[in-house]
Amino acid sequence: MKSKINFNGNEEQPEESAAALTALLKNYHTPEGASPTEEELVAFIDHKLDDIEEARVKSHIARDKVVYNRWISQVTHLQSLEKQSVHSRSNSLPIFHKIANFLNSTWIKSAMTAAAAGVLILVLTPGQKNIDDYYTNFPMALEEMANLGFQAKALPFGKKPTLIAAVEWGVYKRVQTVLSEEKIRESKWRFLTSSKPVPTSQVSGDMINLAVEIGEYSILQHTYCRQNTIARDEFLEATNQYTRSLITEMNRITVSEKLGISFNENSSASCKFSEEILKLL
Amino acid sequence: MAIDWQALFFENNYMAELDRMAHNRFYDLVLAEEAASYTLKCLSENNWERLSQFKGEAKPETYLKVVCGNYLEEYSRKKFGRPRPPKWLVDQGPLWVVAWKMMCIERQLQESVVDRLTKEFQREKQIVVQAIRTIHGKLPWCGHKHMEIPESSLSKDNDEEGASLIENQEDTGSQAFSEDASLIESLFIISSFLNQDVDTHLLLELQAKHFQDANHLEKAINVFHDKLHLSDDEIIVLRMIYQDGFKMKDIAQTLRLTHYQPGRIAKSALNKIKSALVKAGVDIQEVKNLVKTQLT
């Protein structure tokens, strides 16, 4: 049997661990005072509470397992985000080098250039490579690509009407998460043909979702429409109904919130949809 | 306190943050997208009403991140059901509950769970691996796609509208699945957790047998608990070290302590514990060897 357990990079006696864990089995009485709210726990992490409140919240964290669990979930969640953020920043230079290489050789070139100008006009590089070809030539590991996505999304959000920004976001989101044509087929088609409803424009929250969805869907459709392949026909056929639903929902958006374009519901599924949307951005 | 949440969300690129959170939470691309959409929908509904409970006590940015995290969990509950971990597992701390949920309920691959919990959440790998081994030993169905998840481990989340995210926490506390968990059973888990080179499955098979002579130990430990008085800081630091596998530097950072303070606090707590054990006449070696003695 191993005589020691290494918990924190230090050699520790198992007896100590056993003693500590046994002590922690104790059922403490819940301390007095109101149980902390979610915001108070966040404020405790931020050290924004006064001394009295901090002592109260700390006491609940220490002696009420449910509160401790809530607090530790927040701590690990925020630490994880922070760690990724640091990782992302520390990798920014090599990533942008890779972006530069990538831009010189792939279809994403025009999209990234447009992003820099604040205007997105996606034009696929001529030639008949499919997305798998681009992905094969893409020099990054998957996890690096995830970082690239968030580095590259330097769009002027907030300076445009919210819905346009949301559409734009959808375009970027899809551009940067499309890993391979096969992946698109597996994920997006499944996504579209599952029970997932088209977001409804009747609810303000869903209106933004609808706009993001339109952006994502537009660039996906645009990608297929540039190809003269069976995949394109398959895609359009499979998503015909979905396109129509999106158009219907778009037409329900109130005039003041409209994206500035109207569709004939009979437009049905065609490459026109994505072309018109992308022209807006 | 009036915060323009919409502006905060869009101007600070929180959608990117939300996507990243969702992809980290759910490795499956489709699930992540659905979860992010669900979160965005819930947040922005009725002019961001759900964030109106914010009183200005915390930083809005931190609060928003936490709320987003809660909604991703809410999505998981709606998708997979409300997890109801057994009480013996809850007693071991949040790390065990998280590992159980990812592995047994969401059926993520074991390697992926270890990787995420150690790399992203900075837990000690040894603790994570051992916890997973013990869970597997206790719950043979866990992670097997062809074995059904017992109904007792899940309940459907039907509160479609009433799901206030703030109160909507996991069932990891007093409401946890009330499988009988005696003090001795918890000690057994601790013991099997520490006896790392012993086959966990074999130990667990012997679980029923070894309680026979354990009553005296249970009584002694109850006395020990009565005599033990730890401060809030000591309890928190001990939990973070021994139950959640946090590293000292992360504990110091979280609690805004100097780098040497968590070690001192833990040492002080351990001295108190040893003293209380002596007073109660508990031999901790007996706890540690609780299972092993049954094998000889």
Side-chain angles (χ1 to χ4, degrees):
Chain A
M1 174 185 164
K2 291 175 189 172
S3 61
K4 294 185 176 182
I5 184 165
N6 188 343
F7 270 12
N8 293 289
N10 305 317
E11 290 293 304
E12 291 190 30
Q13 296 299 325
E15 286 78 7
E16 283 192 349
S17 303
L21 290 168
T22 306
L24 292 172
L25 290 174
K26 182 174 178 176
N27 289 318
Y28 291 96
H29 294 294
T30 304
E32 291 181 4
S35 186
T37 63
E38 194 81 351
E39 187 179 344
E40 283 174 332
L41 289 175
V42 177
F44 180 78
I45 293 170
D46 282 343
H47 285 256
K48 289 280 187 185
L49 298 173
D50 61 39
D51 291 347
I52 295 173
E53 286 298 290
E54 183 165 308
R56 176 179 66 82
V57 172
K58 184 187 280 185
S59 187
H60 276 273
I61 290 172
R63 292 164 199 283
D64 184 337
K65 284 182 186 173
V66 177
V67 177
Y68 175 82
N69 290 351
R70 287 166 55 201
W71 173 72
I72 211 71
S73 297
Q74 291 182 0
V75 168
T76 49
H77 175 63
L78 293 170
Q79 274 188 354
S80 169
L81 291 177
E82 176 64 21
K83 190 185 172 200
Q84 287 158 14
S85 175
V86 169
H87 178 71
S88 185
R89 281 198 298 272
S90 67
N91 281 316
S92 59
L93 187 60
I95 280 174
F96 278 114
H97 275 275
K98 289 173 181 175
I99 291 171
N101 292 334
F102 179 53
L103 293 183
N104 284 332
S105 62
T106 66
W107 66 288
I108 204 171
K109 182 174 184 176
S110 37
M112 292 298 292
T113 308
V119 179
L120 180 70
I121 304 169
L122 264 165
V123 181
L124 294 176
T125 310
Q128 302 312 318
K129 287 183 176 178
N130 62 27
I131 296 174
D132 283 328
D133 294 329
Y134 294 116
Y135 181 60
T136 306
N137 295 326
F138 195 73
M140 294 185 200
L142 285 184
E143 59 269 27
E144 287 177 320
M145 187 162 182
N147 288 330
L148 160 67
F150 303 110
Q151 294 279 358
K153 287 166 184 166
L155 290 173
F157 288 120
K159 294 178 183 174
K160 290 186 174 186
T162 303
L163 287 178
I164 293 286
V167 172
E168 204 167 53
W169 174 257
V171 170
Y172 269 76
K173 190 175 162 188
R174 178 51 56 195
V175 165
Q176 292 166 359
T177 54
V178 166
L179 300 183
S180 71
E181 190 170 330
E182 188 184 1
K183 202 81 178 171
I184 292 178
R185 287 191 187 206
E186 281 176 4
S187 62
K188 193 64 189 181
W189 287 31
R190 187 147 58 92
F191 195 40
L192 293 177
T193 53
S194 69
S195 57
K196 172 182 170 289
V198 174
T200 166
S201 57
Q202 305 305 303
V203 184
S204 66
D206 264 9
M207 214 142 70
I208 292 173
N209 263 328
L210 173 63
V212 174
E213 182 64 23
I214 286 169
E216 281 194 70
Y217 183 69
S218 298
I219 189 61
L220 185 69
Q221 191 186 53
H222 189 70
T223 304
Y224 274 98
C225 286
R226 300 290 299 193
Q227 301 176 35
N228 290 316
T229 62
I230 296 174
R232 166 195 157 146
D233 298 334
E234 283 176 357
F235 175 82
L236 292 176
E237 187 180 340
T239 56
N240 182 17
Q241 181 57 43
Y242 195 77
T243 307
R244 187 174 292 137
S245 303
L246 281 178
I247 292 170
T248 304
E249 280 305 319
M250 282 179 64
N251 283 330
R252 285 193 189 138
I253 295 175
T254 54
V255 175
S256 61
E257 298 274 13
K258 262 191 179 173
L259 294 169
I261 189 165
S262 60
F263 285 91
N264 183 338
E265 204 169 324
N266 294 326
S267 300
S268 74
S270 77
C271 296
K272 188 82 177 159
F273 176 81
S274 55
E275 279 176 25
E276 293 299 315
I277 291 291
L278 293 174
K279 272 184 202 167
L280 286 173
L281 307 174
Chain B
M1 183 177 183
I3 299 280
D4 186 347
W5 293 104
Q6 180 170 307
L8 182 69
F9 197 83
F10 282 100
E11 289 174 12
N12 291 285
N13 218 0
Y14 263 90
M15 288 189 84
E17 194 84 34
L18 174 58
D19 271 346
R20 189 163 50 178
M21 283 184 214
H23 281 275
N24 287 335
R25 176 64 184 79
F26 305 95
Y27 268 14
D28 183 286
L29 185 65
V30 177
L31 272 182
E33 287 190 0
E34 287 179 345
S37 297
Y38 174 81
T39 302
L40 182 56
K41 175 191 165 194
C42 292
L43 282 176
S44 54
E45 251 173 10
N46 299 325
N47 200 22
W48 305 77
E49 186 184 21
R50 295 224 189 167
L51 291 164
S52 63
Q53 298 169 41
F54 181 74
K55 293 175 184 167
E57 291 170 326
K59 292 178 188 169
E61 295 83 0
T62 319
Y63 183 71
L64 187 55
K65 285 178 189 172
V66 168
V67 171
C68 284
N70 287 345
Y71 271 125
L72 293 176
E73 289 306 320
E74 188 176 284
Y75 172 80
S76 171
R77 277 197 298 275
K78 287 180 184 298
K79 184 85 181 173
F80 298 102
R82 183 183 289 274
R84 303 178 72 211
K87 191 171 182 309
W88 63 262
L89 191 139
V90 174
D91 281 346
Q92 307 309 314
L95 170 67
W96 289 58
V97 176
V98 172
W100 170 82
K101 187 177 169 192
M102 291 166 79
M103 202 168 56
C104 307
I105 304 300
E106 296 171 5
R107 290 178 163 167
Q108 296 184 30
L109 293 175
Q110 186 173 318
E111 295 74 19
S112 151
V113 174
V114 173
D115 192 52
R116 292 187 60 201
L117 288 176
T118 52
K119 287 187 180 166
E120 290 174 23
F121 298 104
Q122 306 181 52
R123 260 63 176 260
E124 291 290 347
K125 187 172 182 179
Q126 194 173 0
I127 290 184
V128 174
V129 170
Q130 199 57 26
I132 284 176
R133 273 189 66 198
T134 309
I135 293 170
H136 261 306
K138 287 276 284 179
L139 308 170
W141 55 268
C142 177
H144 288 285
K145 288 189 176 175
H146 55 280
M147 293 175 79
E148 282 189 21
I149 298 172
E151 283 184 17
S152 56
S153 293
L154 279 175
S155 61
K156 276 289 168 194
D157 199 350
N158 294 322
D159 50 349
E160 291 289 337
E161 297 300 323
S164 162
L165 77 158
I166 304 302
E167 278 77 33
N168 216 352
Q169 296 300 320
E170 298 293 0
D171 258 347
T172 54
S174 55
Q175 298 169 38
F177 176 34
S178 60
E179 179 183 286
D180 182 41
S182 66
L183 176 60
I184 290 299
E185 185 172 13
S186 295
L187 291 172
F188 176 86
I189 301 295
I190 291 171
S191 182
S192 60
F193 182 66
L194 295 172
N195 288 312
Q196 295 171 68
D197 61 341
V198 181
D199 184 281
T200 311
H201 295 270
L202 180 60
L203 294 181
L204 294 166
E205 281 176 15
L206 293 166
Q207 182 177 0
K209 296 179 189 170
H210 87 103
F211 292 138
Q212 291 168 3
D213 301 319
N215 282 346
H216 74 283
L217 183 60
E218 180 163 3
K219 285 176 188 167
I221 288 179
N222 282 330
V223 174
F224 157 66
H225 279 170
D226 286 343
K227 293 185 179 301
L228 183 63
H229 301 287
L230 297 175
S231 71
D232 292 341
D233 280 331
E234 286 168 339
I235 298 169
I236 293 172
V237 167
L238 287 182
R239 281 200 199 289
M240 292 181 85
I241 295 173
Y242 292 101
Q243 286 191 333
D244 278 297
F246 275 86
K247 295 171 184 169
M248 289 293 186
K249 68 179 176 61
D250 292 324
I251 297 173
Q253 187 184 355
T254 302
L255 298 173
R256 302 269 170 108
L257 301 171
T258 56
H259 69 279
Y260 57 83
Q261 277 179 303
R264 285 190 180 178
I265 292 170
K267 192 174 177 183
S268 155
L270 286 169
N271 285 335
K272 286 185 187 176
I273 291 169
K274 284 173 187 169
S275 171
L277 284 169
V278 170
K279 285 180 188 169
V282 177
D283 178 4
I284 200 62
Q285 190 67 31
E286 192 178 356
V287 173
K288 191 172 74 67
N289 290 332
L290 192 63
V291 177
K292 208 174 181 192
T293 53
Q294 301 298 314
L295 297 172
T296 57

mmCIF file of all heavy atoms in Angstrom, chain A residues 189 192-193 217 221 224-225 229-244 268-271:
data_model
loop_
_atom_site.group_PDB
_atom_site.id
_atom_site.type_symbol
_atom_site.label_atom_id
_atom_site.label_comp_id
_atom_site.label_asym_id
_atom_site.label_seq_id
_atom_site.Cartn_x
_atom_site.Cartn_y
_atom_site.Cartn_z
ATOM 1 N N TRP A 189 -27.209 19.840 -39.417
ATOM 2 C CA TRP A 189 -28.407 19.208 -39.957
ATOM 3 C C TRP A 189 -29.198 18.549 -38.851
ATOM 4 O O TRP A 189 -30.413 18.615 -38.822
ATOM 5 C CB TRP A 189 -28.026 18.168 -41.018
ATOM 6 C CG TRP A 189 -27.560 18.786 -42.294
ATOM 7 C CD1 TRP A 189 -26.910 19.985 -42.419
ATOM 8 C CD2 TRP A 189 -27.707 18.268 -43.598
ATOM 9 N NE1 TRP A 189 -26.632 20.226 -43.720
ATOM 10 C CE2 TRP A 189 -27.114 19.186 -44.487
ATOM 11 C CE3 TRP A 189 -28.265 17.109 -44.111
ATOM 12 C CZ2 TRP A 189 -27.080 18.982 -45.847
ATOM 13 C CZ3 TRP A 189 -28.224 16.913 -45.469
ATOM 14 C CH2 TRP A 189 -27.643 17.835 -46.334
ATOM 15 N N LEU A 192 -30.907 21.221 -37.047
ATOM 16 C CA LEU A 192 -32.058 21.784 -37.749
ATOM 17 C C LEU A 192 -33.241 20.822 -37.796
ATOM 18 O O LEU A 192 -34.387 21.240 -37.736
ATOM 19 C CB LEU A 192 -31.674 22.147 -39.188
ATOM 20 C CG LEU A 192 -30.681 23.285 -39.353
ATOM 21 C CD1 LEU A 192 -30.354 23.473 -40.823
ATOM 22 C CD2 LEU A 192 -31.244 24.560 -38.783
ATOM 23 N N THR A 193 -32.939 19.571 -37.937
ATOM 24 C CA THR A 193 -34.033 18.632 -38.112
ATOM 25 C C THR A 193 -34.513 18.032 -36.792
ATOM 26 O O THR A 193 -35.403 17.211 -36.774
ATOM 27 C CB THR A 193 -33.607 17.479 -39.051
ATOM 28 O OG1 THR A 193 -32.405 16.922 -38.536
ATOM 29 C CG2 THR A 193 -33.391 17.969 -40.451
ATOM 30 N N TYR A 217 -27.159 30.591 -39.900
ATOM 31 C CA TYR A 217 -27.741 29.825 -40.989
ATOM 32 C C TYR A 217 -27.334 30.409 -42.349
ATOM 33 O O TYR A 217 -27.077 29.678 -43.307
ATOM 34 C CB TYR A 217 -29.262 29.822 -40.841
ATOM 35 C CG TYR A 217 -29.939 28.997 -41.892
ATOM 36 C CD1 TYR A 217 -29.802 27.614 -41.896
ATOM 37 C CD2 TYR A 217 -30.695 29.585 -42.887
ATOM 38 C CE1 TYR A 217 -30.393 26.843 -42.874
ATOM 39 C CE2 TYR A 217 -31.297 28.830 -43.859
ATOM 40 C CZ TYR A 217 -31.142 27.457 -43.852
ATOM 41 O OH TYR A 217 -31.730 26.705 -44.828
ATOM 42 N N GLN A 221 -25.553 28.419 -45.266
ATOM 43 C CA GLN A 221 -26.208 28.259 -46.565
ATOM 44 C C GLN A 221 -25.331 28.824 -47.680
ATOM 45 O O GLN A 221 -25.187 28.242 -48.744
ATOM 46 C CB GLN A 221 -27.564 28.966 -46.545
ATOM 47 C CG GLN A 221 -28.411 28.628 -47.752
ATOM 48 C CD GLN A 221 -29.682 29.445 -47.776
ATOM 49 O OE1 GLN A 221 -29.628 30.663 -47.690
ATOM 50 N NE2 GLN A 221 -30.808 28.781 -47.877
ATOM 51 N N TYR A 224 -22.673 26.472 -48.743
ATOM 52 C CA TYR A 224 -23.143 25.412 -49.634
ATOM 53 C C TYR A 224 -23.514 25.951 -51.010
ATOM 54 O O TYR A 224 -23.299 25.296 -52.021
ATOM 55 C CB TYR A 224 -24.344 24.693 -49.015
ATOM 56 C CG TYR A 224 -23.923 23.597 -48.084
ATOM 57 C CD1 TYR A 224 -23.882 23.797 -46.726
ATOM 58 C CD2 TYR A 224 -23.540 22.359 -48.593
ATOM 59 C CE1 TYR A 224 -23.465 22.798 -45.868
ATOM 60 C CE2 TYR A 224 -23.118 21.351 -47.740
ATOM 61 C CZ TYR A 224 -23.082 21.573 -46.369
ATOM 62 O OH TYR A 224 -22.669 20.582 -45.545
ATOM 63 N N CYS A 225 -24.058 27.141 -51.011
ATOM 64 C CA CYS A 225 -24.525 27.679 -52.279
ATOM 65 C C CYS A 225 -23.373 27.985 -53.234
ATOM 66 O O CYS A 225 -23.580 28.129 -54.433
ATOM 67 C CB CYS A 225 -25.371 28.936 -52.046
ATOM 68 S SG CYS A 225 -26.998 28.551 -51.392
ATOM 69 N N THR A 229 -22.265 21.116 -55.937
ATOM 70 C CA THR A 229 -22.101 19.706 -55.582
ATOM 71 C C THR A 229 -23.436 19.121 -55.160
ATOM 72 O O THR A 229 -24.416 19.847 -54.960
ATOM 73 C CB THR A 229 -21.129 19.549 -54.392
ATOM 74 O OG1 THR A 229 -21.711 20.228 -53.284
ATOM 75 C CG2 THR A 229 -19.766 20.116 -54.698
ATOM 76 N N ILE A 230 -23.421 17.831 -54.999
ATOM 77 C CA ILE A 230 -24.635 17.166 -54.512
ATOM 78 C C ILE A 230 -24.936 17.631 -53.095
ATOM 79 O O ILE A 230 -26.087 17.771 -52.702
ATOM 80 C CB ILE A 230 -24.442 15.632 -54.548
ATOM 81 C CG1 ILE A 230 -24.266 15.187 -55.997
ATOM 82 C CG2 ILE A 230 -25.633 14.911 -53.916
ATOM 83 C CD1 ILE A 230 -23.918 13.726 -56.152
ATOM 84 N N ALA A 231 -23.857 17.906 -52.374
ATOM 85 C CA ALA A 231 -24.039 18.335 -50.984
ATOM 86 C C ALA A 231 -24.928 19.575 -50.915
ATOM 87 O O ALA A 231 -25.767 19.709 -50.033
ATOM 88 C CB ALA A 231 -22.692 18.618 -50.356
ATOM 89 N N ARG A 232 -24.742 20.457 -51.872
ATOM 90 C CA ARG A 232 -25.544 21.681 -51.893
ATOM 91 C C ARG A 232 -27.027 21.347 -52.054
ATOM 92 O O ARG A 232 -27.879 21.861 -51.331
ATOM 93 C CB ARG A 232 -25.063 22.567 -53.046
ATOM 94 C CG ARG A 232 -26.009 23.690 -53.383
ATOM 95 C CD ARG A 232 -25.691 24.300 -54.729
ATOM 96 N NE ARG A 232 -26.855 24.947 -55.271
ATOM 97 C CZ ARG A 232 -26.826 26.038 -56.002
ATOM 98 N NH1 ARG A 232 -25.682 26.591 -56.288
ATOM 99 N NH2 ARG A 232 -27.915 26.557 -56.459
ATOM 100 N N ASP A 233 -27.320 20.521 -53.017
ATOM 101 C CA ASP A 233 -28.721 20.172 -53.261
ATOM 102 C C ASP A 233 -29.328 19.463 -52.058
ATOM 103 O O ASP A 233 -30.461 19.719 -51.678
ATOM 104 C CB ASP A 233 -28.823 19.284 -54.506
ATOM 105 C CG ASP A 233 -28.320 20.016 -55.745
ATOM 106 O OD1 ASP A 233 -28.376 21.270 -55.731
ATOM 107 O OD2 ASP A 233 -27.853 19.356 -56.682
ATOM 108 N N GLU A 234 -28.518 18.584 -51.502
ATOM 109 C CA GLU A 234 -29.008 17.873 -50.319
ATOM 110 C C GLU A 234 -29.316 18.841 -49.183
ATOM 111 O O GLU A 234 -30.324 18.752 -48.509
ATOM 112 C CB GLU A 234 -27.939 16.871 -49.814
ATOM 113 C CG GLU A 234 -27.859 15.618 -50.643
ATOM 114 C CD GLU A 234 -26.732 14.712 -50.152
ATOM 115 O OE1 GLU A 234 -26.002 15.115 -49.214
ATOM 116 O OE2 GLU A 234 -26.571 13.626 -50.720
ATOM 117 N N PHE A 235 -28.396 19.768 -49.016
ATOM 118 C CA PHE A 235 -28.550 20.722 -47.928
ATOM 119 C C PHE A 235 -29.805 21.566 -48.124
ATOM 120 O O PHE A 235 -30.618 21.745 -47.219
ATOM 121 C CB PHE A 235 -27.312 21.622 -47.852
ATOM 122 C CG PHE A 235 -27.432 22.708 -46.827
ATOM 123 C CD1 PHE A 235 -27.175 22.446 -45.492
ATOM 124 C CD2 PHE A 235 -27.824 23.994 -47.189
ATOM 125 C CE1 PHE A 235 -27.300 23.446 -44.536
ATOM 126 C CE2 PHE A 235 -27.958 24.996 -46.244
ATOM 127 C CZ PHE A 235 -27.684 24.718 -44.914
ATOM 128 N N LEU A 236 -29.954 22.115 -49.338
ATOM 129 C CA LEU A 236 -31.093 23.000 -49.596
ATOM 130 C C LEU A 236 -32.413 22.258 -49.445
ATOM 131 O O LEU A 236 -33.386 22.797 -48.924
ATOM 132 C CB LEU A 236 -30.962 23.614 -50.985
ATOM 133 C CG LEU A 236 -29.799 24.601 -51.141
ATOM 134 C CD1 LEU A 236 -29.691 25.086 -52.575
ATOM 135 C CD2 LEU A 236 -29.969 25.779 -50.194
ATOM 136 N N GLU A 237 -32.389 21.041 -49.900
ATOM 137 C CA GLU A 237 -33.618 20.256 -49.799
ATOM 138 C C GLU A 237 -33.966 19.989 -48.326
ATOM 139 O O GLU A 237 -35.103 20.156 -47.897
ATOM 140 C CB GLU A 237 -33.438 18.925 -50.537
ATOM 141 C CG GLU A 237 -34.732 18.128 -50.628
ATOM 142 C CD GLU A 237 -34.517 16.814 -51.364
ATOM 143 O OE1 GLU A 237 -33.528 16.685 -52.116
ATOM 144 O OE2 GLU A 237 -35.328 15.921 -51.163
ATOM 145 N N ALA A 238 -32.935 19.617 -47.595
ATOM 146 C CA ALA A 238 -33.185 19.258 -46.193
ATOM 147 C C ALA A 238 -33.578 20.462 -45.354
ATOM 148 O O ALA A 238 -34.268 20.335 -44.347
ATOM 149 C CB ALA A 238 -31.944 18.602 -45.605
ATOM 150 N N THR A 239 -33.124 21.634 -45.741
ATOM 151 C CA THR A 239 -33.359 22.805 -44.900
ATOM 152 C C THR A 239 -34.398 23.755 -45.477
ATOM 153 O O THR A 239 -34.565 24.868 -45.003
ATOM 154 C CB THR A 239 -32.045 23.578 -44.681
ATOM 155 O OG1 THR A 239 -31.511 23.921 -45.969
ATOM 156 C CG2 THR A 239 -31.031 22.742 -43.933
ATOM 157 N N ASN A 240 -35.051 23.311 -46.509
ATOM 158 C CA ASN A 240 -36.051 24.132 -47.178
ATOM 159 C C ASN A 240 -37.080 24.683 -46.193
ATOM 160 O O ASN A 240 -37.344 25.882 -46.116
ATOM 161 C CB ASN A 240 -36.729 23.280 -48.261
ATOM 162 C CG ASN A 240 -37.741 24.075 -49.045
ATOM 163 O OD1 ASN A 240 -37.711 25.299 -49.009
ATOM 164 N ND2 ASN A 240 -38.621 23.393 -49.744
ATOM 165 N N GLN A 241 -37.638 23.791 -45.411
ATOM 166 C CA GLN A 241 -38.677 24.180 -44.474
ATOM 167 C C GLN A 241 -38.130 25.140 -43.420
ATOM 168 O O GLN A 241 -38.785 26.095 -43.016
ATOM 169 C CB GLN A 241 -39.268 22.935 -43.801
ATOM 170 C CG GLN A 241 -40.389 23.217 -42.814
ATOM 171 C CD GLN A 241 -41.537 23.990 -43.450
ATOM 172 O OE1 GLN A 241 -41.949 23.685 -44.572
ATOM 173 N NE2 GLN A 241 -42.022 25.010 -42.761
ATOM 174 N N TYR A 242 -36.914 24.873 -43.021
ATOM 175 C CA TYR A 242 -36.315 25.713 -41.982
ATOM 176 C C TYR A 242 -36.115 27.138 -42.488
ATOM 177 O O TYR A 242 -36.386 28.106 -41.791
ATOM 178 C CB TYR A 242 -34.974 25.113 -41.537
ATOM 179 C CG TYR A 242 -34.475 25.697 -40.242
ATOM 180 C CD1 TYR A 242 -35.033 25.300 -39.033
ATOM 181 C CD2 TYR A 242 -33.467 26.655 -40.231
ATOM 182 C CE1 TYR A 242 -34.598 25.836 -37.841
ATOM 183 C CE2 TYR A 242 -33.025 27.201 -39.042
ATOM 184 C CZ TYR A 242 -33.588 26.786 -37.855
ATOM 185 O OH TYR A 242 -33.159 27.325 -36.669
ATOM 186 N N THR A 243 -35.647 27.256 -43.726
ATOM 187 C CA THR A 243 -35.470 28.584 -44.319
ATOM 188 C C THR A 243 -36.798 29.328 -44.347
ATOM 189 O O THR A 243 -36.891 30.509 -43.999
ATOM 190 C CB THR A 243 -34.939 28.457 -45.764
ATOM 191 O OG1 THR A 243 -33.787 27.647 -45.744
ATOM 192 C CG2 THR A 243 -34.600 29.811 -46.342
ATOM 193 N N ARG A 244 -37.812 28.611 -44.757
ATOM 194 C CA ARG A 244 -39.133 29.245 -44.861
ATOM 195 C C ARG A 244 -39.603 29.728 -43.477
ATOM 196 O O ARG A 244 -40.143 30.817 -43.340
ATOM 197 C CB ARG A 244 -40.128 28.248 -45.445
ATOM 198 C CG ARG A 244 -41.482 28.876 -45.742
ATOM 199 C CD ARG A 244 -42.394 27.908 -46.457
ATOM 200 N NE ARG A 244 -41.930 27.618 -47.804
ATOM 201 C CZ ARG A 244 -41.923 26.413 -48.337
ATOM 202 N NH1 ARG A 244 -42.349 25.380 -47.654
ATOM 203 N NH2 ARG A 244 -41.508 26.226 -49.573
ATOM 204 N N SER A 268 -39.148 30.716 -50.555
ATOM 205 C CA SER A 268 -38.756 29.343 -50.227
ATOM 206 C C SER A 268 -37.261 29.261 -49.977
ATOM 207 O O SER A 268 -36.587 30.247 -49.745
ATOM 208 C CB SER A 268 -39.208 28.367 -51.301
ATOM 209 O OG SER A 268 -38.402 28.489 -52.434
ATOM 210 N N ALA A 269 -36.761 28.064 -50.024
ATOM 211 C CA ALA A 269 -35.337 27.897 -49.735
ATOM 212 C C ALA A 269 -34.530 28.140 -50.994
ATOM 213 O O ALA A 269 -34.649 27.459 -51.969
ATOM 214 C CB ALA A 269 -35.093 26.490 -49.227
ATOM 215 N N SER A 270 -33.747 29.143 -50.939
ATOM 216 C CA SER A 270 -32.876 29.376 -52.086
ATOM 217 C C SER A 270 -31.666 30.124 -51.599
ATOM 218 O O SER A 270 -31.635 30.663 -50.493
ATOM 219 C CB SER A 270 -33.581 30.182 -53.156
ATOM 220 O OG SER A 270 -33.622 31.528 -52.771
ATOM 221 N N CYS A 271 -30.703 30.175 -52.441
ATOM 222 C CA CYS A 271 -29.467 30.845 -52.043
ATOM 223 C C CYS A 271 -29.671 32.353 -51.928
ATOM 224 O O CYS A 271 -28.806 33.072 -51.422
ATOM 225 C CB CYS A 271 -28.369 30.524 -53.044
ATOM 226 S SG CYS A 271 -27.963 28.774 -53.039
#
